[in-house]
Amino acid sequence: MRTVLLPLPFLAAWIAASSLAAAELNPGATLSFEFPELPPSLQSLSRGLPKAPRMTVRLPDNYTPATRHPVFIYQTGGAGGNGDELALGLATVGPRDFVVVNLPLFKAAWNKNGPAGGLLVTSEDH
């Protein structure tokens, strides 16, 4: 079985971009980063949406540059979303104390006749 470390490129891009966008790092700010060079997300494949995958980050309401905050990273279930949905993360951990990050879900190949309508992600999807 192969381990997939998809979040690392997203986090690296976020760290680099956040240093460039320091003016946008305010309490409660939402930052969104598009990755057109990545393959389509599972949501794009299954629903025929031509959107590029993205990562969406929301800073906590009590954010300050001097304070450390844990990062809550999640992927939306079902078709996986496109990395632009914060509602579930905010409902889970709330608007304070956590940096909330939503990432898209990827699948090597989508087959609508596969298990769970082709939405089941397995170790073969790398």
Side-chain angles (χ1 to χ4, degrees), residues 21-88:
E24 298 177 31
L25 300 180
N26 297 314
T30 298
L31 307 168
S32 188
F33 304 94
E34 191 173 280
F35 297 94
E37 68 280 358
L38 290 177
S41 67
L42 177 56
Q43 181 185 58
S44 290
L45 290 173
S46 66
R47 297 188 180 156
L49 301 173
K51 293 171 63 174
R54 65 179 47 247
M55 173 182 71
T56 304
V57 178
R58 185 185 185 280
L59 299 177
D61 288 348
N62 58 336
Y63 171 80
T64 67
T67 306
R68 291 182 180 214
H69 294 279
V71 178
F72 178 71
I73 301 172
Y74 73 99
Q75 293 177 305
T76 309
N82 203 49
D84 56 2
E85 302 169 16
L86 292 171
L88 178 61

Short mmCIF file of all heavy atoms in Angstrom, two decimals, residues 21-88:
data_model
loop_
_atom_site.label_atom_id
_atom_site.label_comp_id
_atom_site.label_asym_id
_atom_site.label_seq_id
_atom_site.Cartn_x
_atom_site.Cartn_y
_atom_site.Cartn_z
N ALA A 21 1.23 37.53 1.33
CA ALA A 21 -0.05 38.18 1.55
C ALA A 21 -0.24 38.55 3.02
O ALA A 21 -1.31 38.45 3.56
CB ALA A 21 -1.17 37.26 1.09
N ALA A 22 0.83 39.00 3.65
CA ALA A 22 0.77 39.31 5.08
C ALA A 22 -0.31 40.33 5.41
O ALA A 22 -0.89 40.30 6.48
CB ALA A 22 2.13 39.79 5.57
N ALA A 23 -0.59 41.21 4.47
CA ALA A 23 -1.60 42.24 4.72
C ALA A 23 -2.99 41.62 4.86
O ALA A 23 -3.87 42.21 5.46
CB ALA A 23 -1.61 43.25 3.58
N GLU A 24 -3.19 40.42 4.31
CA GLU A 24 -4.49 39.75 4.37
C GLU A 24 -4.65 38.88 5.61
O GLU A 24 -5.69 38.28 5.80
CB GLU A 24 -4.69 38.90 3.13
CG GLU A 24 -4.70 39.69 1.84
CD GLU A 24 -4.81 38.79 0.63
OE1 GLU A 24 -5.43 37.72 0.73
OE2 GLU A 24 -4.27 39.15 -0.40
N LEU A 25 -3.62 38.76 6.44
CA LEU A 25 -3.66 37.87 7.58
C LEU A 25 -4.28 38.56 8.79
O LEU A 25 -3.60 38.92 9.74
CB LEU A 25 -2.26 37.35 7.91
CG LEU A 25 -1.58 36.56 6.79
CD1 LEU A 25 -0.20 36.09 7.21
CD2 LEU A 25 -2.44 35.38 6.37
N ASN A 26 -5.59 38.73 8.74
CA ASN A 26 -6.34 39.37 9.80
C ASN A 26 -7.25 38.34 10.47
O ASN A 26 -7.60 37.33 9.86
CB ASN A 26 -7.20 40.50 9.22
CG ASN A 26 -6.34 41.58 8.59
OD1 ASN A 26 -5.36 42.00 9.18
ND2 ASN A 26 -6.72 42.01 7.40
N PRO A 27 -7.67 38.59 11.69
CA PRO A 27 -8.59 37.67 12.35
C PRO A 27 -9.84 37.40 11.50
O PRO A 27 -10.43 38.32 10.94
CB PRO A 27 -8.97 38.40 13.64
CG PRO A 27 -7.81 39.31 13.91
CD PRO A 27 -7.33 39.72 12.55
N GLY A 28 -10.19 36.13 11.36
CA GLY A 28 -11.36 35.74 10.58
C GLY A 28 -11.19 35.79 9.08
O GLY A 28 -12.14 35.52 8.34
N ALA A 29 -9.99 36.10 8.60
CA ALA A 29 -9.75 36.21 7.15
C ALA A 29 -9.84 34.84 6.49
O ALA A 29 -9.46 33.82 7.06
CB ALA A 29 -8.39 36.83 6.88
N THR A 30 -10.35 34.83 5.25
CA THR A 30 -10.39 33.62 4.44
C THR A 30 -9.43 33.81 3.27
O THR A 30 -9.51 34.81 2.55
CB THR A 30 -11.81 33.37 3.91
OG1 THR A 30 -12.68 33.15 5.03
CG2 THR A 30 -11.86 32.14 3.02
N LEU A 31 -8.53 32.86 3.10
CA LEU A 31 -7.55 32.88 2.02
C LEU A 31 -7.83 31.69 1.12
O LEU A 31 -8.11 30.60 1.60
CB LEU A 31 -6.13 32.79 2.57
CG LEU A 31 -5.78 33.82 3.65
CD1 LEU A 31 -4.47 33.45 4.31
CD2 LEU A 31 -5.71 35.20 3.05
N SER A 32 -7.76 31.88 -0.17
CA SER A 32 -8.04 30.82 -1.12
C SER A 32 -6.93 30.76 -2.15
O SER A 32 -6.53 31.80 -2.69
CB SER A 32 -9.39 31.08 -1.79
OG SER A 32 -9.77 29.98 -2.56
N PHE A 33 -6.44 29.55 -2.39
CA PHE A 33 -5.33 29.36 -3.32
C PHE A 33 -5.73 28.35 -4.38
O PHE A 33 -6.09 27.22 -4.05
CB PHE A 33 -4.08 28.88 -2.57
CG PHE A 33 -3.68 29.80 -1.46
CD1 PHE A 33 -4.11 29.56 -0.16
CD2 PHE A 33 -2.91 30.91 -1.70
CE1 PHE A 33 -3.76 30.41 0.88
CE2 PHE A 33 -2.56 31.77 -0.67
CZ PHE A 33 -2.98 31.52 0.61
N GLU A 34 -5.67 28.75 -5.64
CA GLU A 34 -6.03 27.87 -6.75
C GLU A 34 -4.78 27.18 -7.27
O GLU A 34 -3.71 27.78 -7.34
CB GLU A 34 -6.68 28.70 -7.85
CG GLU A 34 -7.32 27.87 -8.92
CD GLU A 34 -8.11 28.73 -9.89
OE1 GLU A 34 -9.25 29.10 -9.55
OE2 GLU A 34 -7.55 29.03 -10.97
N PHE A 35 -4.94 25.90 -7.66
CA PHE A 35 -3.83 25.10 -8.17
C PHE A 35 -4.20 24.52 -9.53
O PHE A 35 -4.52 23.33 -9.66
CB PHE A 35 -3.49 23.98 -7.18
CG PHE A 35 -3.02 24.50 -5.86
CD1 PHE A 35 -3.93 24.68 -4.81
CD2 PHE A 35 -1.70 24.83 -5.65
CE1 PHE A 35 -3.51 25.18 -3.59
CE2 PHE A 35 -1.28 25.33 -4.43
CZ PHE A 35 -2.18 25.51 -3.40
N PRO A 36 -4.14 25.33 -10.60
CA PRO A 36 -4.56 24.86 -11.92
C PRO A 36 -3.66 23.77 -12.49
O PRO A 36 -4.06 23.04 -13.40
CB PRO A 36 -4.52 26.11 -12.79
CG PRO A 36 -3.63 27.06 -12.06
CD PRO A 36 -3.73 26.72 -10.60
N GLU A 37 -2.45 23.62 -11.96
CA GLU A 37 -1.53 22.61 -12.47
C GLU A 37 -1.84 21.21 -11.94
O GLU A 37 -1.34 20.21 -12.46
CB GLU A 37 -0.08 22.97 -12.15
CG GLU A 37 0.28 22.93 -10.67
CD GLU A 37 -0.15 24.17 -9.88
OE1 GLU A 37 -0.71 25.12 -10.45
OE2 GLU A 37 0.06 24.17 -8.67
N LEU A 38 -2.70 21.10 -10.92
CA LEU A 38 -3.08 19.80 -10.38
C LEU A 38 -4.16 19.17 -11.24
O LEU A 38 -4.89 19.86 -11.94
CB LEU A 38 -3.59 19.96 -8.94
CG LEU A 38 -2.56 20.33 -7.90
CD1 LEU A 38 -3.22 20.51 -6.53
CD2 LEU A 38 -1.47 19.27 -7.80
N PRO A 39 -4.28 17.83 -11.17
CA PRO A 39 -5.36 17.18 -11.92
C PRO A 39 -6.72 17.60 -11.36
O PRO A 39 -6.80 18.13 -10.24
CB PRO A 39 -5.10 15.69 -11.69
CG PRO A 39 -4.28 15.61 -10.46
CD PRO A 39 -3.48 16.88 -10.40
N PRO A 40 -7.80 17.34 -12.08
CA PRO A 40 -9.13 17.70 -11.58
C PRO A 40 -9.44 16.96 -10.29
O PRO A 40 -9.04 15.81 -10.10
CB PRO A 40 -10.08 17.26 -12.69
CG PRO A 40 -9.23 17.00 -13.88
CD PRO A 40 -7.85 16.73 -13.40
N SER A 41 -10.17 17.61 -9.41
CA SER A 41 -10.60 16.95 -8.18
C SER A 41 -11.67 15.92 -8.50
O SER A 41 -12.25 15.92 -9.59
CB SER A 41 -11.15 17.99 -7.20
OG SER A 41 -12.36 18.54 -7.70
N LEU A 42 -11.95 15.05 -7.53
CA LEU A 42 -13.01 14.06 -7.72
C LEU A 42 -14.35 14.74 -7.98
O LEU A 42 -15.13 14.30 -8.81
CB LEU A 42 -13.10 13.14 -6.49
CG LEU A 42 -14.20 12.08 -6.52
CD1 LEU A 42 -14.10 11.20 -7.75
CD2 LEU A 42 -14.15 11.24 -5.26
N GLN A 43 -14.61 15.84 -7.30
CA GLN A 43 -15.86 16.57 -7.54
C GLN A 43 -15.94 17.06 -8.98
O GLN A 43 -16.97 16.93 -9.63
CB GLN A 43 -15.99 17.76 -6.59
CG GLN A 43 -17.29 18.51 -6.79
CD GLN A 43 -17.36 19.76 -5.94
OE1 GLN A 43 -16.50 20.63 -6.06
NE2 GLN A 43 -18.36 19.84 -5.09
N SER A 44 -14.84 17.59 -9.50
CA SER A 44 -14.83 18.06 -10.89
C SER A 44 -15.06 16.91 -11.86
O SER A 44 -15.80 17.05 -12.83
CB SER A 44 -13.51 18.76 -11.21
OG SER A 44 -13.42 19.98 -10.52
N LEU A 45 -14.43 15.76 -11.60
CA LEU A 45 -14.60 14.61 -12.47
C LEU A 45 -16.03 14.08 -12.43
O LEU A 45 -16.64 13.83 -13.46
CB LEU A 45 -13.64 13.48 -12.05
CG LEU A 45 -12.16 13.70 -12.31
CD1 LEU A 45 -11.35 12.56 -11.70
CD2 LEU A 45 -11.88 13.81 -13.80
N SER A 46 -16.57 13.92 -11.22
CA SER A 46 -17.88 13.28 -11.08
C SER A 46 -19.04 14.19 -11.48
O SER A 46 -20.08 13.72 -11.90
CB SER A 46 -18.08 12.79 -9.65
OG SER A 46 -18.14 13.87 -8.74
N ARG A 47 -18.86 15.50 -11.37
CA ARG A 47 -19.96 16.42 -11.68
C ARG A 47 -19.72 17.23 -12.95
O ARG A 47 -20.53 18.08 -13.30
CB ARG A 47 -20.18 17.36 -10.50
CG ARG A 47 -20.63 16.59 -9.27
CD ARG A 47 -21.04 17.48 -8.16
NE ARG A 47 -21.45 16.68 -7.02
CZ ARG A 47 -21.43 17.10 -5.78
NH1 ARG A 47 -21.04 18.34 -5.51
NH2 ARG A 47 -21.80 16.32 -4.80
N GLY A 48 -18.59 16.99 -13.59
CA GLY A 48 -18.30 17.70 -14.83
C GLY A 48 -18.05 19.19 -14.63
O GLY A 48 -18.33 19.99 -15.52
N LEU A 49 -17.53 19.56 -13.47
CA LEU A 49 -17.27 20.96 -13.18
C LEU A 49 -15.85 21.31 -13.62
O LEU A 49 -14.90 20.65 -13.23
CB LEU A 49 -17.42 21.24 -11.68
CG LEU A 49 -18.78 20.94 -11.07
CD1 LEU A 49 -18.73 21.09 -9.57
CD2 LEU A 49 -19.82 21.87 -11.67
N PRO A 50 -15.66 22.35 -14.39
CA PRO A 50 -14.32 22.69 -14.87
C PRO A 50 -13.52 23.58 -13.92
O PRO A 50 -12.71 24.38 -14.34
CB PRO A 50 -14.63 23.43 -16.18
CG PRO A 50 -15.93 24.10 -15.91
CD PRO A 50 -16.71 23.15 -15.02
N LYS A 51 -13.76 23.45 -12.61
CA LYS A 51 -13.05 24.29 -11.64
C LYS A 51 -11.69 23.70 -11.29
O LYS A 51 -11.57 22.50 -11.10
CB LYS A 51 -13.88 24.42 -10.37
CG LYS A 51 -15.18 25.19 -10.55
CD LYS A 51 -16.06 25.12 -9.33
CE LYS A 51 -15.44 25.72 -8.11
NZ LYS A 51 -16.36 25.77 -6.96
N ALA A 52 -10.68 24.55 -11.18
CA ALA A 52 -9.36 24.10 -10.74
C ALA A 52 -9.41 23.79 -9.25
O ALA A 52 -10.12 24.47 -8.49
CB ALA A 52 -8.32 25.18 -11.01
N PRO A 53 -8.67 22.77 -8.79
CA PRO A 53 -8.64 22.49 -7.35
C PRO A 53 -8.07 23.68 -6.59
O PRO A 53 -7.25 24.43 -7.10
CB PRO A 53 -7.70 21.29 -7.24
CG PRO A 53 -7.53 20.77 -8.61
CD PRO A 53 -7.84 21.87 -9.55
N ARG A 54 -8.52 23.83 -5.37
CA ARG A 54 -8.03 24.94 -4.55
C ARG A 54 -7.92 24.49 -3.10
O ARG A 54 -8.42 23.45 -2.72
CB ARG A 54 -8.92 26.16 -4.68
CG ARG A 54 -10.32 26.02 -4.18
CD ARG A 54 -11.13 27.31 -4.33
NE ARG A 54 -11.00 27.92 -5.62
CZ ARG A 54 -10.41 29.11 -5.84
NH1 ARG A 54 -9.93 29.81 -4.86
NH2 ARG A 54 -10.32 29.61 -7.05
N MET A 55 -7.28 25.30 -2.33
CA MET A 55 -7.20 25.13 -0.88
C MET A 55 -7.76 26.41 -0.28
O MET A 55 -7.39 27.50 -0.69
CB MET A 55 -5.75 24.95 -0.43
CG MET A 55 -5.60 24.93 1.07
SD MET A 55 -3.89 24.77 1.61
CE MET A 55 -3.23 26.36 1.18
N THR A 56 -8.67 26.25 0.68
CA THR A 56 -9.25 27.41 1.33
C THR A 56 -8.87 27.36 2.80
O THR A 56 -8.98 26.31 3.45
CB THR A 56 -10.78 27.44 1.16
OG1 THR A 56 -11.06 27.41 -0.24
CG2 THR A 56 -11.38 28.69 1.75
N VAL A 57 -8.41 28.48 3.32
CA VAL A 57 -7.92 28.59 4.69
C VAL A 57 -8.67 29.71 5.38
O VAL A 57 -8.83 30.80 4.81
CB VAL A 57 -6.41 28.92 4.69
CG1 VAL A 57 -5.88 29.09 6.11
CG2 VAL A 57 -5.61 27.88 3.92
N ARG A 58 -9.13 29.44 6.59
CA ARG A 58 -9.77 30.50 7.39
C ARG A 58 -9.02 30.66 8.69
O ARG A 58 -8.81 29.69 9.43
CB ARG A 58 -11.23 30.18 7.69
CG ARG A 58 -11.90 31.37 8.41
CD ARG A 58 -13.30 31.04 8.83
NE ARG A 58 -13.98 32.18 9.41
CZ ARG A 58 -13.82 32.61 10.67
NH1 ARG A 58 -12.98 31.99 11.48
NH2 ARG A 58 -14.50 33.64 11.13
N LEU A 59 -8.59 31.88 8.94
CA LEU A 59 -7.90 32.17 10.19
C LEU A 59 -8.94 32.32 11.31
O LEU A 59 -10.06 32.77 11.07
CB LEU A 59 -7.08 33.45 10.05
CG LEU A 59 -5.99 33.42 8.98
CD1 LEU A 59 -5.30 34.77 8.89
CD2 LEU A 59 -4.99 32.32 9.26
N PRO A 60 -8.57 31.94 12.53
CA PRO A 60 -9.53 32.06 13.63
C PRO A 60 -9.85 33.51 13.97
O PRO A 60 -9.06 34.41 13.69
CB PRO A 60 -8.82 31.36 14.80
CG PRO A 60 -7.39 31.35 14.45
CD PRO A 60 -7.29 31.38 12.95
N ASP A 61 -11.00 33.70 14.57
CA ASP A 61 -11.43 35.05 14.95
C ASP A 61 -10.47 35.68 15.97
O ASP A 61 -10.39 36.90 16.06
CB ASP A 61 -12.84 35.03 15.54
CG ASP A 61 -13.89 34.77 14.47
OD1 ASP A 61 -13.56 34.85 13.27
OD2 ASP A 61 -15.05 34.49 14.84
N ASN A 62 -9.76 34.84 16.73
CA ASN A 62 -8.82 35.35 17.72
C ASN A 62 -7.37 35.25 17.22
O ASN A 62 -6.44 35.20 18.01
CB ASN A 62 -9.00 34.63 19.06
CG ASN A 62 -8.80 33.13 18.96
OD1 ASN A 62 -8.96 32.54 17.90
ND2 ASN A 62 -8.48 32.51 20.08
N TYR A 63 -7.18 35.28 15.91
CA TYR A 63 -5.85 35.18 15.31
C TYR A 63 -5.01 36.42 15.60
O TYR A 63 -5.48 37.55 15.51
CB TYR A 63 -5.96 35.01 13.79
CG TYR A 63 -4.63 35.12 13.09
CD1 TYR A 63 -3.76 34.05 13.06
CD2 TYR A 63 -4.24 36.31 12.48
CE1 TYR A 63 -2.52 34.15 12.44
CE2 TYR A 63 -3.01 36.42 11.86
CZ TYR A 63 -2.16 35.34 11.84
OH TYR A 63 -0.94 35.45 11.23
N THR A 64 -3.76 36.18 15.96
CA THR A 64 -2.73 37.22 15.99
C THR A 64 -1.46 36.57 15.46
O THR A 64 -1.25 35.37 15.67
CB THR A 64 -2.46 37.78 17.40
OG1 THR A 64 -1.88 36.75 18.20
CG2 THR A 64 -3.72 38.32 18.05
N PRO A 65 -0.60 37.31 14.78
CA PRO A 65 0.64 36.72 14.28
C PRO A 65 1.53 36.15 15.38
O PRO A 65 2.32 35.25 15.13
CB PRO A 65 1.33 37.88 13.57
CG PRO A 65 0.23 38.83 13.24
CD PRO A 65 -0.76 38.69 14.33
N ALA A 66 1.38 36.64 16.59
CA ALA A 66 2.23 36.19 17.69
C ALA A 66 1.71 34.93 18.39
O ALA A 66 2.41 34.34 19.20
CB ALA A 66 2.37 37.31 18.73
N THR A 67 0.50 34.51 18.07
CA THR A 67 -0.11 33.36 18.73
C THR A 67 -0.09 32.14 17.82
O THR A 67 -0.35 32.24 16.63
CB THR A 67 -1.58 33.69 19.09
OG1 THR A 67 -1.61 34.88 19.85
CG2 THR A 67 -2.21 32.58 19.89
N ARG A 68 0.19 30.98 18.41
CA ARG A 68 0.15 29.73 17.64
C ARG A 68 -1.26 29.15 17.71
O ARG A 68 -1.89 29.16 18.75
CB ARG A 68 1.13 28.71 18.21
CG ARG A 68 2.55 29.10 17.99
CD ARG A 68 3.47 28.05 18.53
NE ARG A 68 4.83 28.44 18.30
CZ ARG A 68 5.79 27.59 18.05
NH1 ARG A 68 5.55 26.30 18.03
NH2 ARG A 68 7.01 28.03 17.84
N HIS A 69 -1.71 28.65 16.56
CA HIS A 69 -3.03 28.04 16.49
C HIS A 69 -2.90 26.67 15.82
O HIS A 69 -2.21 26.55 14.79
CB HIS A 69 -3.99 28.89 15.66
CG HIS A 69 -4.29 30.21 16.30
ND1 HIS A 69 -5.21 30.35 17.30
CD2 HIS A 69 -3.79 31.45 16.08
CE1 HIS A 69 -5.27 31.61 17.67
NE2 HIS A 69 -4.41 32.30 16.95
N PRO A 70 -3.57 25.64 16.34
CA PRO A 70 -3.56 24.34 15.65
C PRO A 70 -4.31 24.46 14.32
O PRO A 70 -5.16 25.32 14.15
CB PRO A 70 -4.28 23.41 16.61
CG PRO A 70 -5.03 24.28 17.55
CD PRO A 70 -4.34 25.61 17.57
N VAL A 71 -3.95 23.58 13.39
CA VAL A 71 -4.56 23.59 12.06
C VAL A 71 -5.51 22.40 11.97
O VAL A 71 -5.12 21.26 12.22
CB VAL A 71 -3.49 23.51 10.95
CG1 VAL A 71 -4.14 23.46 9.58
CG2 VAL A 71 -2.54 24.69 11.05
N PHE A 72 -6.75 22.66 11.61
CA PHE A 72 -7.75 21.61 11.39
C PHE A 72 -7.91 21.46 9.88
O PHE A 72 -8.44 22.33 9.21
CB PHE A 72 -9.08 22.00 12.04
CG PHE A 72 -10.17 20.98 11.82
CD1 PHE A 72 -10.13 19.76 12.47
CD2 PHE A 72 -11.23 21.26 10.98
CE1 PHE A 72 -11.13 18.82 12.27
CE2 PHE A 72 -12.24 20.33 10.78
CZ PHE A 72 -12.19 19.11 11.42
N ILE A 73 -7.39 20.34 9.34
CA ILE A 73 -7.44 20.07 7.91
C ILE A 73 -8.51 19.02 7.66
O ILE A 73 -8.53 17.99 8.33
CB ILE A 73 -6.09 19.55 7.40
CG1 ILE A 73 -4.99 20.58 7.68
CG2 ILE A 73 -6.16 19.21 5.91
CD1 ILE A 73 -3.59 20.07 7.39
N TYR A 74 -9.38 19.27 6.70
CA TYR A 74 -10.40 18.28 6.39
C TYR A 74 -10.72 18.28 4.91
O TYR A 74 -10.44 19.23 4.19
CB TYR A 74 -11.67 18.51 7.21
CG TYR A 74 -12.48 19.70 6.75
CD1 TYR A 74 -13.58 19.53 5.92
CD2 TYR A 74 -12.14 20.99 7.12
CE1 TYR A 74 -14.31 20.61 5.48
CE2 TYR A 74 -12.86 22.08 6.69
CZ TYR A 74 -13.95 21.88 5.86
OH TYR A 74 -14.67 22.95 5.43
N GLN A 75 -11.27 17.14 4.48
CA GLN A 75 -11.76 16.99 3.12
C GLN A 75 -13.24 16.69 3.19
O GLN A 75 -13.68 15.90 4.03
CB GLN A 75 -11.02 15.86 2.40
CG GLN A 75 -9.56 16.20 2.17
CD GLN A 75 -8.81 15.06 1.52
OE1 GLN A 75 -8.81 13.96 2.04
NE2 GLN A 75 -8.16 15.34 0.41
N THR A 76 -14.00 17.30 2.33
CA THR A 76 -15.44 17.09 2.31
C THR A 76 -15.73 15.68 1.81
O THR A 76 -15.07 15.18 0.91
CB THR A 76 -16.09 18.13 1.38
OG1 THR A 76 -15.63 19.43 1.76
CG2 THR A 76 -17.60 18.08 1.45
N GLY A 77 -16.73 15.02 2.39
CA GLY A 77 -17.09 13.66 2.00
C GLY A 77 -17.84 13.62 0.68
O GLY A 77 -17.99 14.63 -0.01
N GLY A 78 -18.32 12.45 0.33
CA GLY A 78 -19.04 12.28 -0.94
C GLY A 78 -18.11 12.47 -2.10
O GLY A 78 -17.11 11.78 -2.24
N ALA A 79 -18.40 13.45 -2.94
CA ALA A 79 -17.55 13.73 -4.10
C ALA A 79 -16.29 14.50 -3.72
O ALA A 79 -15.47 14.79 -4.55
CB ALA A 79 -18.33 14.51 -5.16
N GLY A 80 -16.14 14.83 -2.44
CA GLY A 80 -14.91 15.42 -1.97
C GLY A 80 -14.79 16.92 -2.03
O GLY A 80 -13.85 17.49 -1.52
N GLY A 81 -15.71 17.60 -2.64
CA GLY A 81 -15.58 19.04 -2.73
C GLY A 81 -14.43 19.45 -3.62
O GLY A 81 -13.72 18.61 -4.18
N ASN A 82 -14.22 20.73 -3.72
CA ASN A 82 -13.15 21.25 -4.55
C ASN A 82 -12.12 22.03 -3.74
O ASN A 82 -11.29 22.73 -4.29
CB ASN A 82 -13.74 22.12 -5.68
CG ASN A 82 -12.80 22.22 -6.85
OD1 ASN A 82 -12.32 21.20 -7.33
ND2 ASN A 82 -12.53 23.42 -7.32
N GLY A 83 -12.23 21.92 -2.41
CA GLY A 83 -11.30 22.65 -1.56
C GLY A 83 -11.75 24.06 -1.25
O GLY A 83 -10.95 24.88 -0.82
N ASP A 84 -13.04 24.34 -1.44
CA ASP A 84 -13.52 25.70 -1.21
C ASP A 84 -14.72 25.75 -0.26
O ASP A 84 -15.51 26.68 -0.30
CB ASP A 84 -13.89 26.36 -2.54
CG ASP A 84 -14.90 25.57 -3.36
OD1 ASP A 84 -15.37 24.51 -2.89
OD2 ASP A 84 -15.22 26.01 -4.47
N GLU A 85 -14.83 24.75 0.61
CA GLU A 85 -15.98 24.68 1.52
C GLU A 85 -15.50 24.72 2.98
O GLU A 85 -14.84 23.81 3.44
CB GLU A 85 -16.76 23.39 1.26
CG GLU A 85 -17.24 23.29 -0.17
CD GLU A 85 -17.78 21.91 -0.52
OE1 GLU A 85 -18.06 21.12 0.39
OE2 GLU A 85 -17.90 21.64 -1.72
N LEU A 86 -15.85 25.75 3.69
CA LEU A 86 -15.42 25.91 5.07
C LEU A 86 -16.50 25.58 6.10
O LEU A 86 -16.21 25.45 7.29
CB LEU A 86 -14.93 27.34 5.31
CG LEU A 86 -13.64 27.71 4.59
CD1 LEU A 86 -13.37 29.20 4.73
CD2 LEU A 86 -12.47 26.90 5.12
N ALA A 87 -17.74 25.44 5.67
CA ALA A 87 -18.86 25.29 6.61
C ALA A 87 -18.69 24.10 7.55
O ALA A 87 -18.89 24.23 8.76
CB ALA A 87 -20.18 25.19 5.85
N LEU A 88 -18.31 22.95 7.03
CA LEU A 88 -18.17 21.76 7.88
C LEU A 88 -17.04 21.93 8.89
O LEU A 88 -17.18 21.58 10.06
CB LEU A 88 -17.92 20.52 7.03
CG LEU A 88 -17.72 19.22 7.79
CD1 LEU A 88 -18.97 18.87 8.60
CD2 LEU A 88 -17.39 18.09 6.83
#
